[in-house]
Amino acid sequence: MNRWRQSVVEIQTRKRQVNECERAQAALSKVTACFQQMATSLGSNIDGSFLREELEETRTVAHKICSGLHRRLLTLLTEMEQGQEDKEQVERLWVIFLSSLENFQQDLKKVKALQEIFPLTQRKDRQALVNTGYAGGTSEVAARAAMVQTPWLSIDETERPDLKTHIRGIDVLLEEMLQRVNVPLWSVEPTQEADGGQEEDESLEDMMEVEVVSQNNISGCCHHHNCKVGCLLCLLS
């Protein structure tokens, strides 16, 4: 009975850990999306100290989530046995996390490059900013990033690295993940089919269908009701 009770407790604990990782991955996706959106304003007329402070704070949140998620997924995958319940879900989270890290690193590199082009260390540096005509700000996006909650953000206090160190650190993290856990990316199946949209009545061939037209009879070229491309070519001819 004690062994059975211990097994039940282990299963419940593992399910709770998997659920925490799922929520953390969802939170990471939201935070990195906000970071990416704010980064698009760098070098524009709404760029300034506030935007760059918010980018740093959002980067800190993403760094904490990544650190905690990396440790927990690594522990789960190294301790779980093949065929064990929830292993496929953890492997799926692992692959999604790898992709998220790579995308986040690309955004970090873009931010680093733009901050070097537009340093804003002196007042005259604002003259180089590009006037995009946008009069809004990024405070709402920053607020959404700040409101994101994760299961362990309050207990995992990690020091924020500088931007250059952060970019290199993700390289180290990715290399460690690929070396310590053998999860072939091609072997992980999605939980749902890709959304192909509603089935259309007309096939691509039908839409591209063009009647054969004699060069001497241009007026007869756009009679087919499916000939959308042909009509455009007639207008340009």
Side-chain angles (χ1 to χ4, degrees):
M1 180 64 70
N2 289 336
R3 184 177 299 177
W4 177 83
R5 185 180 294 109
Q6 183 179 2
S7 299
V8 171
V9 172
E10 290 176 353
I11 293 174
Q12 291 176 341
T13 301
R14 187 173 65 247
K15 284 186 174 296
R16 176 180 55 80
Q17 292 172 342
V18 173
N19 182 260
E20 286 179 350
C21 289
E22 289 177 340
R23 286 187 288 153
Q25 178 58 54
L28 179 62
S29 298
K30 293 178 182 178
V31 172
T32 52
C34 291
F35 183 87
Q36 184 182 63
Q37 186 174 349
M38 288 189 290
T40 59
S41 297
L42 285 172
S44 70
N45 56 290
I46 62 173
D47 192 1
S49 58
F50 176 79
L51 171 62
R52 304 204 174 190
E53 289 173 2
E54 294 297 334
L55 277 170
E56 285 296 290
E57 292 181 6
T58 305
R59 183 169 69 86
T60 301
V61 176
H63 175 64
K64 290 180 178 180
I65 299 174
C66 289
S67 299
L69 188 55
H70 163 257
R71 289 196 301 270
R72 286 161 175 80
L73 285 177
L74 189 61
T75 301
L76 283 170
L77 284 173
T78 53
E79 292 180 353
M80 296 177 74
E81 300 177 357
Q82 190 66 33
Q84 197 169 12
E85 188 180 2
D86 296 327
K87 186 173 178 60
E88 289 186 1
Q89 177 60 17
V90 177
E91 290 180 345
R92 192 175 296 111
L93 285 171
W94 181 262
V95 173
I96 295 174
F97 182 47
L98 279 172
S99 178
S100 299
L101 276 177
E102 291 175 346
N103 291 334
F104 183 45
Q105 186 188 48
Q106 292 301 316
D107 290 332
L108 291 175
K109 291 179 178 179
K110 292 176 184 177
V111 167
K112 181 177 180 295
L114 287 170
Q115 288 183 349
E116 290 174 352
I117 297 173
F118 303 98
L120 297 186
T121 55
Q122 302 179 14
R123 185 181 296 271
K124 65 178 182 179
D125 291 335
R126 294 199 60 83
Q127 298 176 1
L129 297 178
V130 179
N131 186 2
T132 60
Y134 182 62
T138 58
S139 57
E140 293 184 1
V141 181
R144 289 203 301 270
M147 292 174 61
V148 173
Q149 297 181 352
T150 62
W152 55 73
L153 194 58
S154 59
I155 58 176
D156 281 8
E157 294 297 334
T158 57
E159 186 177 351
R160 178 185 66 197
D162 61 73
L163 189 54
K164 187 175 181 180
T165 305
H166 196 169
I167 294 172
R168 290 200 305 264
I170 292 181
D171 279 329
V172 175
L173 199 65
L174 289 170
E175 184 177 357
E176 179 190 5
M177 291 172 66
L178 293 173
Q179 288 179 349
R180 294 189 60 181
V181 177
N182 183 21
V183 179
L185 303 184
W186 53 266
S187 67
V188 178
E189 299 181 358
T191 55
Q192 58 185 6
E193 297 181 0
D195 184 13
Q198 297 181 351
E199 185 177 355
E200 297 182 356
D201 295 334
E202 298 177 346
S203 65
L204 180 60
E205 289 78 8
D206 292 335
M207 294 183 66
M208 296 293 293
E209 185 177 350
V210 180
E211 291 184 2
V212 178
V213 181
S214 170
Q215 292 185 357
N216 297 326
N217 186 21
I218 300 298
S219 61
C221 114
C222 295
H223 292 324
H224 199 288
H225 69 282
N226 287 333
C227 185
K228 299 178 177 64
V229 178
C231 291
L232 178 62
L233 293 176
C234 287
L235 292 173
L236 295 177
S237 63

